[in-house]
Amino acid sequence: MKDKAAHINWVPFAFTFGLWLILLSGSLLAEGMFVDGVTYAGISRNMAQDEGSLWNPFYTATLYPVFHQHPPLALALESLFFRLFGDSLAVEKIYSVFVFILTGLLICLVWKKMTGDFKSGWLLLLLWISIPIVSWSATNNLLEGTMSFFVMASVLFMMNGIEGNKLCWTLLASVMLFFAFLSKGFTGLFPLAFPLFCWLFGKKISFKDTLIDTLLLVAGLAFCFTVLFIVSPNALSAIKDYLNIQVLKGITTEKTVDSRFFIVGRLVSEVAIPLAIVAVASLVAFFTKHYSKSNGASGWFYVFLALGLSGVLPIMISVKQSGFYMLAALPFFALAFAGFAAGHIQFETLFVGAKPKKAVIILSSMVLIVGLALNLTKIGKYGRDEALLTDMKSILPYLDENEIVSIPQKDFSNWGNHAYFMRYGKVSLDPVGEHNHLVATNRLQNETDLTYIELNTSKLFLYERK
């Protein structure tokens, strides 16, 4: 029976992969991206073309010519993809999906540490991708995607340290946390609490080991930052700017939500689907006698649940919040739920026997084929911002690369316009100066010094200065 189960392990994994493709089908091969992702793509492309540097990234000539809104590691890593693959619009999605897949592999390695094998890894991945914002983020080029990879690596290394060679693995984990911080900032440091949760919830670690591990992590982080600031004074200046611009203003003045509890409500809504999957599976297993006492995997439930919460609740400090801020914490909720389910539900028995096996193979194959087909039908189409992108493509032939274009003052906060014009045409938008061309989001009236260029556009309107 064990050999049969191992032989057909690919079937539920194929089903999960096919489902993931279906979830991505609206955006994977379609054009258009969330504004933050377009922004980061533009900065990374500029860095790859030697416009801006690691510690002084360049966005546009008029908006963040020095981009210190976030630490630069994720941008620098993405710039390597632009150097490797060129200036294709596919590069940012390749990078985003690549990082997502690597994070999924690390999650599976953590799962193996929990359970001893990969046998139910498909369940973990299914719960992870069923979190709506997780699959959405896979193709939207968020900094949190890169940060998630380093966060998962740090936890995997700490789990290795529990088994032996503690000093080496814990210091490696601190390096991963250092990289997580350099990818998106403080939201990547919550795994510092992992040793504490392992002690609190009985994962064979003493209080002495907890204290030693935590001190090693902090010391490793301090050492990494010390070396960085000594080697690169520009790094210290950039991090100081990040702290002032992003962290302090986010806590004190900059506001995107009405309540600090927004992130808690968003968490509940995001994990509702994996919770529902586990609840339904548990009920089915109970009534079909596939439910049993824990086999050990569920023992990690409280550790990873607490770790996930430690990555979400501190976001409440700021009133600048968004759902994707908690992206790096969401794998730990999937690990907690999957650990509980695998500890109580005999999933492997569902794939043994001629009839169940045949049905699952057919279903998995169909899901995989549908996922591939849906994505192929999106080639050459738009996933979002179709009207805006269509208009911009009509306008760009009239503009020069690296040109600065005037815009009305009221249009300055249309961040998507800045992002797309820079990413597609290396064009900067200026609400102050008078330049050869002007682009507006509404037709202008009584502009005697401008000539309207008729392009049959609906979102953007191009004028040439007389």
Side-chain angles (χ1 to χ4, degrees):
M1 183 177 295
K2 182 178 179 181
D3 292 339
K4 284 185 178 182
H7 179 68
I8 62 171
N9 267 350
W10 66 269
V11 178
F13 278 101
F15 172 84
T16 303
F17 182 66
L19 180 61
W20 182 59
L21 289 178
I22 292 174
L23 293 173
L24 298 189
S25 61
S27 60
L28 180 59
L29 300 180
E31 198 169 342
M33 185 180 285
F34 179 57
V35 61
D36 287 25
V38 183
T39 299
Y40 304 142
I43 297 170
S44 298
R45 186 271 313 274
N46 291 342
M47 191 181 296
Q49 296 179 357
D50 297 321
E51 296 183 66
S53 61
L54 174 63
W55 295 109
N56 292 299
F58 171 79
Y59 183 27
T60 85
T62 55
L63 180 64
Y64 306 134
V66 176
F67 185 86
H68 284 167
Q69 269 49 39
H70 299 293
L73 179 59
L75 301 171
L77 291 175
E78 186 173 348
S79 76
L80 298 179
F81 274 63
F82 279 100
R83 292 182 186 274
L84 182 63
F85 297 110
D87 195 12
S88 166
L89 292 172
V91 172
E92 50 262 52
K93 289 195 178 181
I94 291 173
Y95 176 78
S96 185
V97 172
F98 177 73
V99 170
F100 184 90
I101 291 173
L102 287 183
T103 303
L105 291 175
L106 288 179
I107 294 172
C108 287
L109 290 174
V110 171
W111 179 253
K112 185 180 180 182
K113 290 289 180 183
M114 291 172 59
T115 64
D117 56 45
F118 293 110
K119 186 167 55 177
S120 299
W122 65 270
L123 170 65
L124 166 64
L125 295 175
L126 177 64
L127 296 181
W128 182 47
I129 66 169
S130 71
I131 301 174
I133 204 166
V134 168
S135 290
W136 172 84
S137 70
T139 58
N140 277 288
N141 194 36
L142 300 176
L143 301 180
E144 284 80 2
T146 303
M147 183 179 71
S148 296
F149 169 80
F150 291 121
V151 164
M152 288 307 307
S154 73
V155 171
L156 177 63
F157 291 164
M158 282 187 269
M159 293 179 75
N160 288 342
I162 292 175
E163 297 176 354
N165 203 358
K166 180 184 296 291
L167 178 63
C168 176
W169 286 117
T170 305
L171 290 177
L172 281 174
S174 71
V175 174
M176 293 300 102
L177 291 179
F178 172 66
F179 290 155
F181 177 90
L182 291 183
S183 297
K184 188 60 196 294
F186 285 104
T187 51
L189 297 183
F190 67 91
L192 286 170
F194 182 71
L196 174 63
F197 295 141
C198 284
W199 171 67
L200 285 174
F201 301 112
K203 300 310 300 181
K204 297 181 180 180
I205 180 172
S206 66
F207 179 76
K208 178 182 177 181
D209 286 336
T210 299
L211 188 60
I212 292 173
D213 288 354
T214 304
L215 290 174
L216 283 173
L217 289 171
V218 173
L221 271 172
F223 177 77
C224 288
F225 277 110
T226 300
V227 171
L228 175 65
F229 295 151
I230 291 174
V231 172
S232 177
N234 288 336
L236 178 59
S237 176
I239 296 300
K240 283 181 177 179
D241 285 348
Y242 156 71
L243 294 175
N244 289 325
I245 294 169
Q246 195 72 12
V247 180
L248 294 180
K249 285 187 177 180
I251 294 174
T252 58
T253 59
E254 196 168 348
K255 183 178 181 180
T256 60
V257 294
D258 295 327
S259 169
R260 296 183 188 274
F261 289 93
F262 166 86
I263 200 69
V264 177
R266 186 63 184 270
L267 173 65
V268 172
S269 66
E270 291 292 334
V271 301
I273 293 178
L275 271 176
I277 292 173
V278 172
V280 171
S282 297
L283 287 173
V284 172
F286 179 79
F287 287 110
T288 58
K289 301 188 184 304
H290 290 100
Y291 196 86
S292 63
K293 292 183 178 180
S294 173
N295 64 6
S298 62
W300 285 95
F301 173 80
Y302 294 108
V303 174
F304 286 120
L305 182 63
L307 188 59
L309 289 172
S310 73
V312 174
L313 297 182
I315 297 174
M316 295 171 62
I317 295 172
S318 172
V319 286
K320 184 181 180 183
Q321 299 180 13
S322 187
F324 57 82
Y325 287 6
M326 60 183 175
L327 193 63
L330 295 176
F332 300 108
F333 291 100
L335 283 162
F337 301 154
F340 173 86
H344 294 85
I345 303 171
Q346 300 167 10
F347 283 99
E348 65 275 10
T349 61
L350 300 177
F351 305 105
V352 177
K355 291 183 179 180
K357 177 182 177 182
K358 184 177 181 180
V360 171
I361 290 176
I362 293 173
L363 176 61
S364 299
S365 300
M366 289 179 61
V367 170
L368 187 57
I369 292 170
V370 169
L372 291 170
L374 285 176
N375 279 279
L376 291 175
T377 62
K378 295 294 183 179
I379 295 177
K381 297 182 178 179
Y382 294 92
R384 61 186 296 158
D385 302 322
E386 179 176 357
L388 175 63
L389 286 169
T390 301
D391 286 0
M392 189 193 63
K393 289 178 180 180
S394 298
I395 290 173
L396 283 176
Y398 293 84
L399 307 177
D400 295 327
E401 188 174 285
N402 294 316
E403 182 174 348
I404 299 177
V405 173
S406 297
I407 58 172
Q409 182 67 52
K410 65 181 181 61
D411 288 344
F412 184 70
S413 60
N414 288 326
W415 310 122
N417 292 357
H418 291 276
Y420 279 125
F421 269 101
M422 174 49 63
R423 178 65 189 92
Y424 279 70
K426 298 189 74 173
V427 170
S428 302
L429 307 180
D430 184 8
V432 180
E434 293 187 354
H435 304 283
N436 291 336
H437 294 94
L438 181 144
V439 173
T441 56
N442 296 102
R443 288 290 299 268
L444 303 180
Q445 302 296 325
N446 302 320
E447 289 292 340
T448 57
D449 61 336
L450 295 171
T451 300
Y452 174 62
I453 300 177
E454 180 61 61
L455 296 175
N456 195 30
T457 53
S458 61
K459 293 285 187 180
L460 299 171
F461 303 93
L462 178 64
Y463 293 83
E464 186 174 23
R465 200 167 300 279
K466 294 179 181 178

